[in-house]
């Protein structure tokens, strides 16, 4: 199987609001290629969108450089503030 295909499918599914299906695609991509940061990031973002915050933060932690902690701001992912 192709991790990039599953990651791209996850993005498309997320874009149409099919979060459970997107989760499955992102998980598949990460299982196939654990070092694939874009897939780990996508998985984390969809988990957060689905309200699964702890799992989402764990997945995002696996995507190196994605999570930053700032005492004055809280937790940020990419450029957006979460908490």
């Amino acid at each position: 199987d192709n991790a990039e295909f599953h990651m791209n499918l996850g993005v498309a599914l997320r874009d149409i609001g099919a979060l459970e299906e997107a989760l499955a695609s992102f998980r598949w991509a990460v299982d196939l290629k654990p070092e694939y940061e874009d897939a780990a990031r996508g998985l984390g973002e969809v988990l957060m969108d689905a309200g699964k915050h702890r799992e989402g933060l764990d997945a995002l932690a696996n995507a190196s450089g994605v999570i930053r902690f700032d005492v004055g701001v809280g937790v940020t992912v990419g450029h957006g503030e979460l908490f």
Side-chain angles (χ1 to χ4, degrees):
D1 278 318
N2 186 315
E4 288 79 14
F5 169 81
H6 290 286
M7 201 282 297
N8 289 329
L9 179 59
V11 169
L13 290 165
R14 179 187 60 203
D15 288 348
I16 64 168
L19 297 183
E20 289 303 315
E21 293 84 355
L23 283 173
S25 290
F26 283 119
R27 285 185 205 274
W28 195 267
V30 171
D31 286 346
L32 289 171
K33 191 173 176 183
E35 71 279 3
Y36 193 7
E37 291 180 18
D38 289 341
R41 185 178 305 110
L43 175 60
E45 290 171 355
V46 173
L47 284 163
M48 298 295 286
D49 290 344
K52 300 176 182 181
H53 299 123
R54 184 168 306 274
E55 284 181 79
L57 288 174
D58 288 343
L60 289 167
N62 290 326
S64 65
V66 176
I67 294 182
R68 293 184 308 276
F69 296 93
D70 182 327
V71 175
V73 176
V75 178
T76 59
V77 176
H79 299 290
E81 183 178 332
L82 292 178
F83 305 103

